[in-house]
Amino acid sequence: MDDDVSTEILEATYRALCKHGYADLTMQRIADESSLSKATLHYHFDTKEELLNAFLDDFLDRFGERLASESSDPRTRLDAFFDAIFAPAQDDTGEFPIALVELKSQAPYNDAYRERFVEMDRRMREVVASAVRDGIESGEFEAADPDTVARFVVTGINGMTVREVALDESPAETRALVEEYLDQRLGYAPEVAA
C-alpha cells in the first residue's frame, strides 16, 4: 500500500475512533473522515478489525518512538519518558483516551488487541526498568528491584488513563504520585523546569 494512502487511512481511523468511539466505528465512518471511499478501505483491509489491528500496530510504533531517549543519564531518561506519557498530545481533542480505554476493554475478547496492549505494557516497563537499573548501578538511585519498580509505575500509568476518562482527573496528578513514589523508593527527584 502506498505510504500516503496508508497514512490517510490511519489518520482517518484515529479521527473516526475519537469521534464515534469503538462501538460505533464503521468502515463508512472511517471513509467519511478521509478522501477515500469505503470500497478503497475494503481493498486494503477486509474488515474493520483488520484495519484496527493495523492502526494499533502504527500506534505502538509511534508510541515506541516517543519513549525512546538517547540520553545515558537515567534520571533524564525517566524525565523524558514521563514527558512522553503524561504530556497531552498537541493535536488531541481529549477524545483519544476514551477511544483507547474502549479498545483496551476489548482485549479480553480479542487476542490481537491483547497482544498489542501487552507489547505496549512491556515496552513501558522495559524503559523504566532499564533507567532504574542504570541509576542503581551508577549510584544515582537507591537499591530496589528495577522490574518491581517498573511494574508499579506502569500500573499507575495504566490507571491514569481510566481515571482521566472516568473521573476527569488530570494526568498531572498521576505523574505527581508516580514521581513521589520514585523519590521515596529510589531517591529520584525529577528535574524542575526553570
Side-chain angles (χ1 to χ4, degrees):
M1 174 180 353
D2 177 279
D3 283 347
D4 290 339
V5 172
S6 175
T7 298
E8 183 171 359
I9 291 172
L10 295 175
E11 288 176 355
T13 302
Y14 175 87
R15 288 189 299 275
L17 194 55
C18 289
K19 186 183 283 186
H20 302 287
Y22 175 82
D24 293 326
L25 186 68
T26 64
M27 293 293 265
Q28 184 59 59
R29 286 186 165 157
I30 295 168
D32 291 346
E33 293 294 325
S34 74
S35 65
L36 306 170
S37 67
K38 180 179 169 184
T40 301
L41 294 182
H42 278 292
Y43 175 78
H44 296 290
F45 300 98
D46 289 335
T47 65
K48 176 179 83 169
E49 296 305 312
E50 191 178 298
L51 173 51
L52 282 172
N53 286 329
F55 173 80
L56 286 172
D57 286 340
D58 181 69
F59 176 75
L60 190 58
D61 289 344
R62 290 174 192 255
F63 183 72
E65 290 170 9
R66 285 179 51 204
L67 298 184
S69 173
E70 300 298 321
S71 177
S72 61
D73 179 64
R75 190 175 310 275
T76 300
R77 289 195 337 250
L78 282 176
D79 289 338
F81 172 80
F82 292 145
D83 288 345
I85 294 294
F86 293 110
Q90 292 178 346
D91 64 343
D92 199 346
T93 62
E95 301 293 329
F96 188 66
I98 296 168
L100 189 59
V101 168
E102 288 180 309
L103 286 168
K104 284 183 175 184
S105 75
Q106 297 304 307
Y109 315 106
N110 185 313
D111 290 338
Y113 292 179
R114 181 179 312 129
E115 289 169 12
R116 285 154 177 91
F117 288 118
V118 165
E119 177 61 16
M120 183 184 304
D121 191 84
R122 185 197 65 73
R123 287 184 188 187
M124 287 192 294
R125 284 185 291 142
E126 186 177 275
V127 169
V128 173
S130 174
V132 169
R133 189 173 295 107
D134 291 350
I136 292 168
E137 288 174 5
S138 70
E140 192 168 341
F141 297 152
E142 296 173 21
D145 177 43
D147 294 323
T148 300
V149 171
R151 185 178 181 96
F152 183 88
V153 168
V154 172
T155 298
I157 289 166
N158 284 321
M160 171 205 62
T161 308
V162 174
R163 295 186 69 81
E164 180 181 9
V165 169
L167 306 175
D168 199 27
E169 183 176 286
S170 167
E173 293 180 51
T174 301
R175 181 176 184 160
L177 290 171
V178 167
E179 288 177 340
E180 181 181 337
Y181 164 78
L182 290 176
D183 190 37
Q184 291 174 359
R185 189 72 184 94
L186 304 172
Y188 164 88
E191 290 182 5
V192 178

